[in-house]
């Protein structure tokens, strides 16, 4: 449904390639800071819509509207995985690679759970104490 990439992929060739693959896909790539709207481009071009939205509302609001911030969360998760598990898979067959990745994710989830605080809701006291 959605293709998200960083600004290095900004350009009509990327948009065209994604839309050739999936015609109804939303392409979420931030235009460069010096991007301007082109008057002779189709009105429905997603890149032009992104440029207009950023110029009207600002970059941060555009990120919130398009869900672009989720990309950073995915990059952080992949960085953690690579730091803990390693930069590549060691298994040779695809089935074994799938198993290796699943084990790595389970290990990472367990490690993250160990560092996550366990919050408990407490009743508010009614009287003032000194």
């Amino acid at each position: 449904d959605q293709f998200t990439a960083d600004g290095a992929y900004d350009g009509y060739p990327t948009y065209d390639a994604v839309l050739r693959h999936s015609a109804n896909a939303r392409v979420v790539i931030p235009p460069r800071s010096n991007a301007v709207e082109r008057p002779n481009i189709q009105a429905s071009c997603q890149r032009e819509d992104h440029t207009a939205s950023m110029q009207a509302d600002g970059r941060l609001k555009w990120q919130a509207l398009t869900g672009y911030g989720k990309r950073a969360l995915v990059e952080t998760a992949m960085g953690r995985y690579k730091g803990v598990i390693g930069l590549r898979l060691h298994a040779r067959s695809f089935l074994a690679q799938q198993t290796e990745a699943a084990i790595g994710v389970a290990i990472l989830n367990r490690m993250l759970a160990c560092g996550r605080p366990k919050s408990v809701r407490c009743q508010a006291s009614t009287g003032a104490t000194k």
Side-chain angles (χ1 to χ4, degrees), residues 81 89-103:
Y81 183 92
L89 298 174
H90 299 283
R92 291 185 180 182
S93 72
F94 184 64
L95 184 59
Q97 288 176 349
Q98 288 177 318
T99 304
E100 183 180 348
I103 291 169

Side-chain angles (χ1 to χ4, degrees), residues 43-55:
S44 65
C45 182
Q46 293 183 46
R47 185 175 187 272
E48 299 303 319
D49 295 342
H50 294 315
T51 304
S53 176
M54 278 190 185
Q55 288 176 350

Side-chain angles (χ1 to χ4, degrees), residues 39-85:
N40 58 352
I41 299 295
Q42 303 173 8
S44 65
C45 182
Q46 293 183 46
R47 185 175 187 272
E48 299 303 319
D49 295 342
H50 294 315
T51 304
S53 176
M54 278 190 185
Q55 288 176 350
D57 300 324
R59 193 172 196 85
L60 291 177
K61 187 165 184 179
W62 174 84
Q63 287 181 1
L65 290 172
T66 59
Y68 183 74
K70 291 180 183 178
R71 181 191 62 85
L73 297 174
V74 171
E75 283 185 6
T76 302
M78 289 305 299
R80 280 192 197 118
Y81 183 92
K82 289 178 179 180
V84 172
I85 307 305

Side-chain angles (χ1 to χ4, degrees), residues 3 104 116:
F3 175 83
R116 191 175 297 125

